[in-house]
Amino acid sequence: MAEQSNNLWAPWRMEYIRSFSDEAKEEGCFLCRYFEQTDRDRDNHVIWRGQSAFVVMNRFPYTNGHLLVALADHKGDLTDLTDDEMMEMSRLTRHSVRVLRERVNPDGFNVGYNIGRCAGAGLPGHLHLHVVPRWSGDTNFMPVIGDVRVMPDALDTLYAELMAAGPPPE
């Protein structure tokens, strides 16, 4: 009798893998494009905008609710930021944590920057901060052994839920 094979389908993963091919590479920086395309916020999953920073859902998240707080300008290092830019990124980060805590009820968060490719920055020229909700027991074997992440919610569903929280306070 043949062994039964268990498959866990992660179709979003192929889009991520293909995004590294030369044909799939988009012109320019996607974060710059997202900030400029104010009429495409829903398509781009841009949730909140400020004057110098904005919040977007990560298209290839580490876990459910993974957000990016990105600078509007294409700058790659914290030392390039003005005090106002740094403050707005901090305010948007605080709002992101507050809303995610209310809407997806995580047990904790990883919040931080990856500055430089060797530090894990997938887009080293455009500074952005990761807000990653975490739950007790969510560090399972799937990413390590199976090269798969289990996402319990669709991006569009969570986008609508986060948008319902309203904009960050000024």
Side-chain angles (χ1 to χ4, degrees), residues 16 58 62 66 112-124 128 130:
Y16 177 71
N58 190 330
Y62 297 143
H66 181 171
Y113 295 96
N114 298 329
I115 301 173
R117 192 164 304 281
C118 70
L123 186 59
H128 58 281
H130 294 259

Side-chain angles (χ1 to χ4, degrees), residues 143-158:
V144 177
I145 303 297
D147 195 24
V148 172
R149 293 187 177 98
V150 179
M151 307 305 294
D153 205 356
L155 286 179
D156 289 333
T157 302
L158 184 58

Side-chain angles (χ1 to χ4, degrees), residues 30 35 37 86-87 89-90 103 129 145 157 165:
F30 80 91
F35 191 76
Q37 295 175 336
M86 191 75 209
M87 184 60 71
M89 287 192 76
S90 294
R103 300 293 169 145
L129 178 139
I145 303 297
T157 302

Side-chain angles (χ1 to χ4, degrees), residues 35 46 48-55 70 72 88 91-92 168 170:
F35 191 76
V46 173
W48 303 296
R49 292 176 168 275
Q51 295 298 312
S52 61
F54 65 109
V55 179
E88 186 161 57
R91 279 196 303 269
L92 287 171
E170 292 292 324

